[in-house]
């Protein structure tokens, strides 16, 4: 017995943990403008998964910006580092066996590509939450667009910093109409199930 | 229905996830010298928990230094940032409902105190893996002590950088004799169970 102990032979693997949970644990990467509905859809998806007995976790500004990434600002380098760390943490959580749902604007193709490389392409589902800038700006749940328009927030995505729409997303959902977000989540959930994304 | 969606009312909570897993999800923070047996004990504990149907995950140099913290070196600031990020990630994983076992030397009282503050004192179990320097150096599984003695690795804990023994640990286990590490893990597991650490 002691020999095995020293040799670290019987490590618990990702597969063991997924078997315990009876699920695969991909990273569902939501990308879209501020106000596009990412957080709403992420939360609705998490509720649906929980109801189905699946363990999922949302990474978003609420639990990342105030903690792990609180040392980062909004310079180009810091934004890049922000997404890198999120991708690394998503990878770790996915490794625990838990399904990860990320809800970050992640406006640049290059950073989403980097995230996909870190997480692994077979484990990364890119979901484009497609909502017109007009809708997002009208909605403006945090008053950020208003501040961006007056110059109070510089380099705001969609205003004076670009949002590079995904060209090769896995799934696209519409976030344009508030009351459709339940339908959008249902569409997203059904698409994920159809592709056996969570099936061992 | 759409009103609730917009208001984000029905978020899935940590308690919901713990209920799904039928376990609490504390952070078991192992501290001790290089070669003290932290990784062995962490792995044995993870195996035992998995066998009992509990979901646990190890954070250690293998999955953190090469990924999330690969931008960090060994300066005082970088070591501090290393532990800060580990504590933040441990907190996130604990929030998913998964039991976290960390295996890092974490030699300074101040950094362990910071980790405890980040994670929350009621969620943090400090485990001192107490092994004599002589044993660790004799064992030297990665040849690091040898390099430290020749000056090839500067500021090595136990040689030319201090290891501040925990004064207020929750549990102490001995890592001095190789063949005792199974017994040490059993003692650790039993102590955790006795204290209802994983019980909802």
């Amino acid at each position: 017995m002691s020999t095995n102990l020293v040799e670290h032979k019987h490590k618990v693997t990702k597969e063991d943990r997924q078997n315990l949970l009876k699920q695969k644990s991909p990273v569902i990467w939501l990308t879209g403008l501020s106000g596009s509905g990412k957080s709403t859809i992420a939360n609705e998806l998490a509720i649906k998964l929980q109801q189905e007995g699946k363990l999922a976790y949302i990474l978003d500004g609420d639990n990342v910006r105030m903690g792990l990434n609180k040392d980062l600002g909004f310079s180009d380098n810091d934004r890049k580092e922000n997404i890198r760390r999120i991708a690394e943490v998503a990878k770790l959580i996915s490794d625990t066996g838990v399904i990860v749902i990320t809800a970050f604007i992640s406006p640049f193709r290059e950073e989403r590509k980097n995230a996909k490389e870190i997480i692994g392409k077979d484990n990364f589902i890119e979901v484009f939450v497609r909502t017109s800038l007009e809708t997002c700006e009208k909605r403006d749940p945090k008053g950020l667009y208003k501040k961006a328009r007056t110059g109070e927030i510089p380099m705001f995505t969609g205003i004076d910093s670009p949002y590079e729409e995904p060209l090769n997303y896995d799934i696209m959902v519409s976030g344009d109409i508030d009351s459709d977000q339940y339908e959008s989540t249902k569409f997203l959930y059904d698409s994920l199930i159809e592709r056996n994304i969570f099936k061992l």
Side-chain angles (χ1 to χ4, degrees), chain A residues 70-129:
Chain A
K70 70 177 178 186
D71 56 323
L72 300 175
F74 292 89
S75 69
D76 279 2
N77 269 345
D78 278 10
R79 292 174 71 131
K80 203 176 156 185
E81 174 65 6
N82 182 49
I83 294 294
R84 185 192 73 83
R85 287 191 203 165
I86 289 161
E88 292 284 5
V89 170
K91 185 185 182 180
L92 287 170
I93 296 179
S94 162
D95 196 35
T96 72
V98 176
I99 297 158
V100 184
I101 306 164
T102 68
F104 299 94
I105 300 172
S106 47
F108 301 114
R109 282 184 198 118
E110 184 68 19
E111 65 187 4
R112 294 193 301 265
K113 186 168 155 273
N114 289 343
K116 188 173 183 170
E117 273 168 22
I118 288 168
I119 290 162
K121 64 178 170 49
D122 295 337
N123 199 33
F124 182 91
I125 314 291
E126 187 167 340
V127 177
F128 177 24
V129 181

Side-chain angles (χ1 to χ4, degrees), chain A residues 168-186:
Chain A
N168 296 302
Y169 52 79
D170 295 290
I171 300 168
M172 187 182 82
V173 296
S174 167
D176 250 313
I177 306 172
D178 283 1
S179 57
D180 273 5
Q181 289 181 341
Y182 181 76
E183 283 304 314
S184 294
T185 308
K186 193 177 177 317

Side-chain angles (χ1 to χ4, degrees), chain A residues 40 50 129 152 176 191 194:
Chain A
T40 305
Q50 172 86 8
V129 181
E152 204 177 326
D176 250 313
S191 303
E194 215 166 79

